[in-house]
Structures are given as C-alpha cells and as structure tokens.
Amino acid sequence: MEASSWTSYDPAQDEQGTDWARERDTRRHGALQRHEAWVRERQDAKDELRAQVWLSAAVSRRLRAIAARAGLSAEQVLAQLAGQARMHDDGRVAVEAFALSTGEDTYR
C-alpha cells in the first residue's frame, strides 16, 4: 500500500488480492460441491444391498437362459425380479408377471 501510495485499502485497486480472493472462492465452491457429491454417494451406498446367492443347478441354468435371451446379466435379472417382489399382509412374498427391461427392449 505504501509503495502504491494508497492512503487506505481499496479492493478495486488491488488486482492481485482480488484475483487471489476469486481463486479461493472458486476452490471453496468446488470443495463444497465435491463434499456434497461424496455425501450423496455415501447415502446411496448405505441404501444398496449386496448379496451372494447360491442357486441350484437347474434354477441357475434357467436364470442364465432368461438373462441371455434378454441380453442381460443374471445379476440384472435378479435385481429386476427383486424390484417386483411384493409382501402380502399374511407374510407371503410374490412376484407378479412382469417384463424385463434392458433399457431398449422389453422381454416377457
């Protein structure tokens, strides 16, 4: 300030300080966005379920055939199947007929 003969600090005249403040705000904003994305990702991870399923040979072959015909993996078919499962008041679990979705085609 003395070298520039300023009597008081004026941000409008301090180009370097203003640039630094702008860069700091940009970095801070980016950090906040990354943190928010990380929090959302962690919440989604808490809601996910990963399971290892052991099926009989006959059921496994049938599942693979269905998946191959639909162009899906066996895991994708099981995920869609689980998404259609409903529990009745008496505790029974049932899956009504539904169409497999590949994103492009539908298979019944």
Side-chain angles (χ1 to χ4, degrees):
M1 286 179 42
E2 289 177 10
S4 300
S5 301
W6 296 356
T7 57
S8 64
Y9 178 76
D10 182 5
Q13 292 178 331
D14 187 0
E15 293 178 22
Q16 186 176 24
T18 303
D19 289 344
W20 286 344
R22 189 177 309 111
E23 290 172 9
R24 184 192 71 234
D25 288 344
T26 301
R27 284 192 310 272
R28 181 179 173 276
H29 181 68
L32 288 173
Q33 287 181 324
R34 286 189 301 279
H35 178 72
E36 289 171 4
W38 178 81
V39 168
R40 281 191 305 274
E41 184 179 302
R42 296 299 306 148
Q43 184 60 45
D44 290 346
K46 286 181 184 178
D47 293 340
E48 290 179 358
L49 172 66
R50 296 182 188 275
Q52 187 172 18
V53 180
W54 295 91
L55 303 172
S56 69
V59 171
S60 181
R61 282 191 296 271
R62 193 171 349 144
L63 175 61
R64 285 191 191 107
I66 292 167
R69 184 173 175 197
L72 299 170
S73 69
E75 292 82 3
Q76 289 171 315
V77 172
L78 287 175
Q80 289 187 37
L81 181 65
Q84 296 297 319
R86 300 291 176 256
M87 182 174 282
H88 296 278
D89 292 337
D90 61 3
R92 290 179 299 125
V93 177
V95 178
E96 302 295 328
F98 72 98
L100 290 172
S101 174
T102 65
E104 298 174 9
D105 299 319
T106 300
Y107 295 88
R108 295 190 183 276

